[in-house]
Amino acid sequence: MTDAVSFSTSVKHELAHLPVERSCCRRMEVAALLRASGRISISANHRLACILGTDSSPVARRFIRMLKSEFHLRPEVLVMRRQRLRKNLTYVVRIPQQPGLVEMLKELGFLDAEGRLQEWGYLEELEQEHCRCAYLRGTFLGTGWVASPERQHHLEMTTTSTEAADALGQLLFQCGIPVRLAYRKESLVLYVKDADQIAHFLGLVGAHQALLRFEEVRAIKEMKNQVNRQVNAETANLTKTVEAAARQVAALERLRARDGLKDLSEPLRELALLRLSHPDASLKELGEMCVPPVGKSGVNHRMRKLMELARRYENG
């Protein structure tokens, strides 16, 4: 994947070329694509037409192939430029009134038994896991977006229908992916920000190459974060050690100026002189210099006594 191609675009490109063996799954993908980025128009003389728009030519080709193979419909294709100064193209797939169109719309839940439009219709195929995955794949191909893993963890899909949003949310929940819902202008946005759930989604819909990329970047980021945490912890410990050593040296210098070192026991005098001679050494290093060597806890105990004696000399 080059920098010019977004991670989301690469995911859609991979999914658009994914083979689907089951006829039921192909039908669910068509249903999801139509629900996500299509619309149904009814003319004044009650003629139906379906229109789907996408900025991905592989998605448009995939949709057309499935329409022909599964429903034997003949769509029309129109390529348009979004804006005069931009190179982005929009591919409009239109399915005009023809035999089989009404039957398809009823089968896919867009029309009820009387032929009336409905926001959501029960699809028996979604009781099967493989069809649920196909439906999620079609929805993502239609309106999905996933952020580059180098930047953030965010995946979303949009719809304009409350019933469709509720059904899609339930579908994702059944697949182990709880989502949040937000309103954006006239759209309902279902989104996920958890890295594990995004990875799970990519695996469910069949974007295995994208999943490998996602996990690779995620592992590198985690390693960098772990190194940064370790460096920050070591820096904090080093700063704490240096500040403590500076306080110890200052206290022992004052103690020596008052001729207080001569009254110390031999172990305390030895440690005091070592600290004054090695102001940058850690407690562990000071203990190793003692004769005989002393552990860190022993050095810490002696240093506390020295600091207490220094305070007494200053207050006395």
Side-chain angles (χ1 to χ4, degrees):
M1 181 180 66
T2 65
D3 292 339
V5 179
S6 71
F7 182 69
S8 188
T9 299
S10 70
V11 173
K12 289 189 178 183
H13 190 273
E14 180 182 354
L15 293 179
H17 291 86
L18 184 72
V20 181
E21 297 180 358
R22 293 184 172 94
S23 175
C24 56
C25 291
R26 291 193 290 269
R27 290 168 177 260
M28 288 302 97
E29 196 170 315
V30 169
L33 266 167
L34 274 175
R35 184 69 69 181
S37 55
R39 62 185 178 87
I40 300 173
S41 66
I42 304 177
S43 64
N45 56 355
H46 304 290
R47 293 181 65 82
L48 283 172
C50 290
I51 300 173
L52 179 135
T54 176
D55 58 2
S56 169
S57 59
V59 172
R61 288 194 297 268
R62 183 179 181 86
F63 181 66
I64 292 169
R65 285 197 305 269
M66 289 184 173
L67 282 176
K68 291 181 177 179
S69 65
E70 296 302 317
F71 301 101
H72 308 291
L73 297 173
R74 299 183 306 278
E76 302 169 349
V77 183
L78 178 65
V79 181
M80 305 172 59
R81 289 193 182 278
R82 286 185 180 174
Q83 296 179 10
R84 183 176 300 176
L85 299 179
R86 293 181 62 182
K87 296 182 179 180
N88 299 47
L89 300 177
T90 297
Y91 302 86
V92 178
V93 181
R94 182 176 181 273
I95 314 169
Q97 179 79 53
Q98 57 188 282
L101 178 58
V102 172
E103 288 73 16
M104 182 193 77
L105 293 176
K106 287 183 178 180
E107 179 183 337
L108 301 185
F110 291 90
L111 300 178
D112 61 18
E114 285 73 36
R116 295 170 299 195
L117 288 172
Q118 56 183 0
E119 286 193 356
W120 180 261
Y122 171 73
L123 299 173
E124 185 178 348
E125 289 87 348
L126 295 182
E127 298 295 330
Q128 305 175 88
E129 183 178 356
H130 51 81
C131 282
R132 288 197 294 268
C133 294
Y135 195 91
L136 293 177
R137 181 168 55 249
T139 303
F140 184 84
L141 285 171
T143 63
W145 179 82
V146 58
S148 173
E150 287 91 349
R151 299 179 181 177
Q152 60 177 318
H153 295 142
H154 186 97
L155 180 147
E156 66 179 44
M157 291 175 285
T158 62
T159 181
T160 56
S161 165
T162 302
E163 289 188 29
D166 291 341
L168 184 58
Q170 288 295 323
L171 193 62
L172 286 160
F173 184 79
Q174 290 174 359
C175 293
I177 305 175
V179 295
R180 296 180 179 181
L181 181 65
Y183 294 89
R184 184 183 299 160
K185 296 182 179 179
E186 297 180 357
S187 299
L188 297 168
V189 182
L190 293 94
Y191 66 94
V192 179
K193 288 183 174 290
D194 181 83
D196 288 333
Q197 293 171 4
I198 294 174
H200 182 43
F201 179 90
L202 293 175
L204 280 176
V205 298
H208 300 299
Q209 292 300 318
L211 175 58
L212 289 175
R213 172 65 179 160
F214 184 87
E215 293 291 20
E216 176 188 3
V217 173
R218 183 182 175 192
I220 293 173
K221 286 176 64 176
E222 180 57 33
M223 185 180 299
K224 287 181 179 179
N225 291 338
Q226 186 175 352
V227 170
N228 288 337
R229 286 193 295 268
Q230 185 175 352
V231 169
N232 291 338
E234 290 178 356
T235 301
N237 289 336
L238 180 60
T239 301
K240 184 179 178 181
T241 299
V242 170
E243 291 176 349
R247 290 194 299 270
Q248 294 162 8
V249 170
L252 293 175
E253 288 285 8
R254 291 192 296 271
L255 187 62
R256 181 163 61 180
R258 294 169 179 255
D259 204 24
L261 296 183
K262 64 182 180 62
D263 297 329
L264 299 177
S265 63
E266 185 57 33
L268 293 182
R269 186 184 303 110
E270 177 188 34
L271 181 60
L273 294 174
L274 284 172
R275 169 49 83 201
L276 291 170
S277 301
H278 303 86
D280 298 327
S282 65
L283 294 182
K284 181 180 179 181
E285 292 169 337
L286 291 177
E288 293 172 350
M289 298 177 195
C290 292
V291 181
V294 181
K296 182 179 177 180
S297 61
V299 174
N300 192 41
H301 177 69
R302 294 180 186 182
M303 188 60 72
R304 283 201 300 268
K305 285 188 175 181
L306 285 171
M307 297 297 285
E308 179 62 29
L309 287 172
R311 282 193 291 273
R312 289 180 184 175
Y313 264 81
E314 290 179 5
N315 296 332

